[in-house]
Amino acid sequence: MQKIILYTVIVLVAFVTKLSAQEAAAIDPSAGWSPRQTVEGSYEMQIQNVTSGDRQNVSSIKSIEKKVEGFGNIMKSIKPDLYLGKTVRLTGYIKSENVKSWAGLWMRTDYYKSKVLSFDNMQNRGISGTTDWAKYEIVLFVPQDATVISYGALLDGTGQIWFDDIKLEVVEDTVPETGSIKGRDVKQISFETRAEAIADQIEMITTEEKKALKQEVKVIDDQVESGKISKEKGDELKLSIATERAKNIETQVAVEEEKLAQLVKDKVDGKFVEDKSRPKKKGGTRIVLGGSSDNIGENQTEINLGSLKVYNGKKDYVKRHFKRTTSQLVFAAGLNNVVTEGESLNDSDFKVWGSHFYELGLTLNSRIFNNHNLLHAKYGLSLMYNNLRATDNRYFVETGNQTYLQTASVNLDESRFRSVFLVAPVHLEFDFSGKKTDKEGNSYFKTHNSFRLGIGGYGGVRIKSKQILEYEENGNDIKIKEKGDFNVSDFTYGLSSYIGYGSTSLYVKYDINPMFKNNNIDQNNVSLGIRFDFN
């Protein structure tokens, strides 16, 4: 009997202690506060470090720019265990000065980061101008599905506010909610939303623990490097914190996996109905020839023929399209000719409009500076096809180590000489697309969306050379294909440049090495055309 009484007392003491600790953590304004702002450097924020009149340890948010985009807030997030299924009132005192837009308290309950269950930020009754200390309140219902409660004070735009004595308390359910999103109106969270949220939470746990481990290891490495601790001690500490972080991951993930298992069981038991408000997975499919339009739908599939890519919705498009290194399919075509030593292009041995080049390749485009979009390194592999059509019914003849043009004894309908090269082009690209900001305020860099200038060169090897002759003889059409090296240089290298807008550019390239290896007179290939970089 004494053991039973003792056990009961211990359980009650533990329960009361835990309850008191949770309540203290929930309402203690000195713990867990953190500053947030839409654009860094817009606000000066102090947490319980200001004196205002008779009030000590007051928090403050003050704009430091003449024009501010977004807002600044000081907030706290807590576990909702004490408040689930209850109506909660948030109260606090705020004083304002020269608030141009609005300010106020705010409170939100969430199901992980997946769904907002209830919310109020006083925007419909915000504080503006200059006001003395006054008490304000928010009332929200906390649904049973809530996994976190966040609250605080915010300032939108310019001005300054001071706030103090922020408290949470449970009130009667008869007290009406003030929020724009009311907790009692929230619909059942679908199975799919819950499953995705738990999966994201598991991923976040692992990511944050690894990030924390990396920072702790760096601190230890710095201590070893400065001689504060020995290398052996450092290795010991790193092993210890790695073990602790691994245990944290294991413990936290186990909790989420248990929730996931229960979720699946509830689904099997038929406790979930189909959420018709949830957008369907399929959002249609569109085919794009090239370019870089941003208007892909959230659940739409895009097949981009220009870049040979398939994007599965908006998030996939953003993630792959706006990263630091992107890939492009390059196609170029235009006029091709040669610059002959001692002659001008007007005296060329080849047809100006009948000689062409083609280039097909894949390139990578890397932003050189992490936080600036102007300079890029562009590099890759391309196949270059250089075609020449001789004038005056001539064709190429190879005699020893010399290759020259000779007049044909028949009337040639076609006289075309082609060399194919595999080259590695490298360019320094100036891209004036600039920095972009999406609707959520996230900044990113996008390429091939404005004026571009590329300066560089290329080098590579010859794959093959071929001459094609066509003529008519005795009423018969004759076509001859001659393959060989024709004394064409085995290696090629040259200079190239392009200038344009978006994915389209004017393109010029010039071979520094002569077309033929041993000819007495040097002839250098030159090309001018249009280039497309399908990003």
Side-chain angles (χ1 to χ4, degrees):
M1 185 64 182
Q2 289 179 340
K3 289 184 178 180
I4 294 175
I5 294 173
L6 180 60
Y7 175 76
T8 304
V9 170
I10 292 173
V11 171
L12 287 173
V13 170
F15 177 78
V16 172
T17 302
K18 179 180 179 182
L19 188 62
S20 300
Q22 288 179 328
E23 289 177 339
I27 64 175
D28 180 9
S30 65
W33 291 97
S34 59
R36 298 284 190 274
Q37 49 188 309
T38 306
V39 180
E40 288 298 324
S42 300
Y43 295 94
E44 177 185 275
M45 292 187 273
Q46 299 187 58
I47 300 174
Q48 299 186 347
N49 193 32
V50 179
T51 299
S52 177
D54 296 334
R55 292 180 176 269
Q56 305 291 323
N57 300 322
V58 172
S59 298
S60 171
I61 304 174
K62 180 182 180 181
S63 63
I64 54 178
E65 299 287 343
K66 292 183 179 179
K67 185 178 180 180
V68 174
E69 296 292 338
F71 62 89
N73 89 92
I74 296 176
M75 62 171 288
K76 176 190 284 190
S77 293
I78 63 172
K79 292 183 178 180
D81 303 28
L82 292 174
Y83 307 106
L84 293 177
K86 299 176 182 179
T87 303
V88 176
R89 176 190 285 134
L90 172 71
T91 58
Y93 290 83
I94 299 179
K95 173 184 174 182
S96 67
E97 182 176 283
N98 298 326
V99 173
K100 189 172 182 180
S101 181
W102 62 280
L105 300 174
W106 69 274
M107 179 180 172
R108 190 182 70 232
T109 68
D110 298 307
Y111 180 72
Y112 293 101
K113 293 185 177 180
S114 178
K115 187 177 180 65
V116 177
L117 304 181
S118 56
F119 175 69
D120 187 5
N121 63 359
M122 289 183 56
Q123 185 172 7
N124 61 350
R125 57 191 190 284
I127 305 165
S128 61
T130 299
T131 62
D132 202 354
W133 285 104
K135 186 177 182 179
Y136 300 92
E137 70 175 41
I138 285 173
V139 179
L140 291 177
F141 178 76
V142 182
Q144 288 286 353
D145 289 325
T147 58
V148 64
I149 299 175
S150 301
Y151 59 91
L154 67 85
L155 169 63
D156 183 77
T158 58
Q160 182 174 8
I161 63 169
W162 298 261
F163 64 95
D164 190 20
D165 201 17
I166 305 293
K167 292 180 180 179
L168 279 179
E169 60 178 337
V170 176
V171 296
E172 295 295 329
D173 288 340
T174 54
V175 179
E177 292 185 75
T178 60
S180 55
I181 300 176
K182 294 178 170 57
R184 287 192 176 85
D185 296 339
V186 69
K187 296 180 180 179
Q188 183 189 49
I189 304 173
S190 69
F191 170 81
E192 292 81 3
T193 299
R194 292 172 187 265
E196 289 176 6
I198 294 174
D200 290 343
Q201 181 69 8
I202 291 174
E203 182 179 357
M204 187 185 72
I205 289 169
T206 305
T207 301
E208 289 185 349
E209 288 292 334
K210 287 182 178 180
K211 182 180 178 181
L213 175 61
K214 185 177 180 180
Q215 293 172 342
E216 291 170 341
V217 167
K218 185 180 184 305
V219 171
I220 295 172
D221 287 339
D222 291 343
Q223 290 178 334
V224 172
E225 187 176 346
S226 63
K228 293 181 179 179
I229 60 174
S230 65
K231 185 178 183 304
E232 292 75 15
K233 182 63 176 177
D235 292 340
E236 179 184 339
L237 290 173
K238 284 190 281 187
L239 178 60
S240 174
I241 62 173
T243 303
E244 180 182 349
R245 290 296 176 185
K247 187 179 295 184
N248 289 346
I249 293 175
E250 182 181 359
T251 301
Q252 295 179 64
V253 168
V255 173
E256 299 305 323
E257 288 178 341
E258 184 178 347
K259 293 179 183 178
L260 192 58
Q262 183 62 46
L263 180 66
V264 173
K265 183 178 182 301
D266 291 343
K267 175 69 172 177
V268 173
D269 293 342
K271 294 183 179 180
F272 290 98
V273 296
E274 181 182 358
D275 184 3
K276 295 182 179 180
S277 66
R278 180 181 174 83
K280 294 182 178 180
K281 291 294 183 182
K282 296 296 182 181
T285 300
R286 68 175 185 175
I287 298 175
V288 178
L289 295 179
S292 54
S293 175
D294 296 343
N295 62 357
I296 181 173
E298 289 294 333
N299 299 297
Q300 189 176 35
T301 298
E302 176 182 301
I303 302 173
N304 194 305
L305 300 179
S307 58
L308 299 179
K309 293 183 176 70
V310 177
Y311 301 105
N312 297 311
K314 182 73 171 182
K315 288 184 179 180
D316 182 46
Y317 180 88
V318 171
K319 180 179 178 181
R320 294 165 59 191
H321 199 70
F322 300 141
K323 56 188 179 182
R324 186 168 181 175
T325 296
T326 58
S327 58
Q328 295 81 38
L329 174 68
V330 175
F331 175 73
L335 303 177
N336 191 62
N337 220 294
V338 297
V339 176
T340 303
E341 185 180 2
E343 296 181 4
S344 69
L345 277 175
N346 294 329
D347 301 322
S348 175
D349 293 322
F350 305 97
K351 298 177 181 179
V352 174
W353 299 107
S355 301
H356 306 104
F357 83 95
Y358 306 95
E359 180 178 341
L360 182 65
L362 289 172
T363 61
L364 295 176
N365 190 4
S366 297
R367 192 169 69 250
I368 293 177
F369 299 109
N370 189 43
N371 292 313
H372 202 283
N373 202 36
L374 179 63
L375 295 179
H376 294 253
K378 196 175 183 73
Y379 47 94
L381 285 175
S382 290
L383 283 173
M384 287 184 178
Y385 297 80
N386 294 334
N387 295 284
L388 294 169
R389 285 183 168 89
T391 59
D392 301 327
N393 203 47
R394 292 179 295 175
Y395 67 100
F396 278 110
V397 174
E398 179 182 0
T399 302
N401 63 0
Q402 296 291 304
T403 301
Y404 58 91
L405 289 172
Q406 177 176 292
T407 302
S409 59
V410 296
N411 185 30
L412 296 174
D413 297 321
E414 172 75 304
S415 174
R416 174 160 44 104
F417 184 76
R418 172 188 290 171
S419 292
V420 182
F421 299 89
L422 177 65
V423 300
V426 178
H427 293 91
L428 175 65
E429 182 175 285
F430 298 82
D431 191 320
F432 296 89
S433 298
K435 191 175 184 179
K436 309 292 182 182
T437 303
D438 64 17
K439 295 179 180 179
E440 286 73 36
N442 301 313
S443 297
Y444 59 84
F445 297 99
K446 186 177 179 182
T447 63
H448 300 76
N449 202 40
S450 185
F451 287 102
R452 297 184 302 118
L453 169 66
I455 302 172
Y458 53 89
V461 296
R462 182 174 62 85
I463 296 178
K464 64 178 180 180
S465 294
K466 178 169 64 176
Q467 181 167 242
I468 300 172
L469 303 175
E470 295 180 10
Y471 58 93
E472 185 179 331
E473 186 177 66
N474 299 325
N476 297 318
D477 292 330
I478 308 296
K479 185 174 184 178
I480 299 174
K481 294 182 180 180
E482 297 178 291
K483 297 181 180 179
D485 65 9
F486 291 90
N487 292 315
V488 176
S489 298
D490 294 322
F491 300 94
T492 186
Y493 53 93
L495 301 175
S496 58
S497 182
Y498 53 88
I499 183 171
Y501 186 91
S503 60
T504 307
S505 305
L506 182 66
Y507 184 37
V508 60
K509 56 191 182 75
Y510 174 76
D511 289 356
I512 295 177
N513 64 295
M515 185 169 67
F516 298 107
K517 289 182 282 190
N518 302 306
N519 276 13
N520 294 327
I521 297 177
D522 288 341
Q523 292 180 304
N524 300 74
N525 201 86
V526 62
S527 305
L528 175 66
I530 300 296
R531 170 183 172 130
F532 301 95
D533 293 73
F534 298 115
N535 192 37

